[in-house]
Amino acid sequence: MASPTEGRRRSDAARSGRTRERILQAAVDSLIEDGYAATSIGAIQSRSGVSRGALLHQYPNKAHLLVDAVRHLSDQQVDEVLAYSEPAAAEDWMTVLWHSFATPLFGAVLELWVAARTDADLRGALLRHQRDLHGSIRESITRNLEGPLPENFDSVFEMTLTYFRGLALTTILSTNHRDRLLDDWRATMRSVFSSP
């Protein structure tokens, strides 16, 4: 049986974890809705509903907070992809993958990528978590594909990630050609997978 001191410690740790989650979700929401420049400590504190002292106790500055927000965002992206579908064919996994770029979370990622151009700590955190995210997405897709993976699957997967990232970026300005370009990419990938 836990002592009263151990019980208090667990309770404090649970409360601290809940506070941290509120702060991180507020940071992600602010990135999505307001952009990186407007995602200040004050804006996150207001959005999260925690006191300034509680926020600064968890995160002494914006850089520390956003590095942890990258992890939180990556976890959310993985959860969304896993919950979206169970792919079974080549074109289905591309639909699942596209979904990860067609959600508001991609807007938050994009904001962080632009900021990471001049922030080495943020760039390092993004690289680590993007690697983990891609690995998790690849694993969930390949687990559900029927038959053996084509030899060129990893190249096709990376090319598709790059293509979808660019397509998601261009759809910020216009969605006019998005569906046609997605269909063209699926057709191209079908021919790549079916070639000897």
Side-chain angles (χ1 to χ4, degrees):
M1 185 171 185
S3 71
T5 303
E6 288 170 334
R8 263 195 312 279
R9 278 193 197 118
R10 277 195 218 125
S11 176
D12 289 347
R15 191 170 34 259
S16 180
R18 286 192 300 274
T19 299
R20 205 166 31 254
E21 288 301 304
R22 283 172 62 191
I23 292 167
L24 292 173
Q25 190 56 52
V28 170
D29 291 344
S30 183
L31 286 165
I32 291 169
E33 294 172 27
D34 305 323
Y36 179 82
T39 301
S40 64
I41 288 285
I44 294 167
Q45 184 237 321
S46 174
R47 204 180 260 272
S48 67
V50 304
S51 70
R52 181 84 168 186
L55 188 146
L56 293 175
H57 174 72
Q58 299 287 342
Y59 299 104
N61 57 48
K62 183 178 174 179
H64 281 92
L65 194 159
L66 289 181
V67 164
D68 207 17
V70 169
R71 176 205 50 81
H72 187 73
L73 186 55
S74 297
D75 291 346
Q76 285 185 300
Q77 286 182 291
V78 169
D79 290 345
E80 279 211 358
V81 170
L82 295 178
Y84 179 66
S85 181
E86 294 279 319
E91 55 268 37
D92 293 336
W93 72 258
M94 280 183 259
T95 300
V96 173
L97 196 55
W98 170 248
H99 178 75
S100 71
F101 291 97
T103 68
L105 290 177
F106 179 72
V109 172
L110 188 59
E111 292 288 334
L112 290 171
W113 278 34
V114 172
R117 187 180 71 82
T118 56
D119 184 328
D121 291 338
L122 187 56
R123 186 165 57 249
L126 275 169
L127 280 171
R128 279 192 308 279
H129 289 292
Q130 285 296 305
R131 226 176 276 126
D132 293 345
L133 174 65
H134 291 177
S136 296
I137 292 172
R138 183 193 181 283
E139 182 184 340
S140 71
I141 287 171
T142 56
R143 187 179 337 134
N144 294 297
L145 283 173
E146 295 174 348
L149 287 178
E151 277 184 34
N152 58 356
F153 180 80
D154 286 328
S155 294
V156 168
F157 179 72
E158 290 300 325
M159 286 190 307
T160 302
L161 280 172
T162 302
Y163 183 82
F164 284 177
R165 201 173 285 125
L167 187 57
L169 187 57
T170 60
T171 58
I172 290 171
L173 298 178
S174 170
T175 59
N176 288 347
H177 307 294
R178 181 194 59 206
D179 293 340
R180 180 180 57 78
L181 291 169
L182 283 169
D183 288 343
D184 288 349
W185 187 255
R186 286 188 190 98
T188 300
M189 291 302 100
R190 273 195 297 276
S191 67
V192 166
F193 276 117
S194 61
S195 62

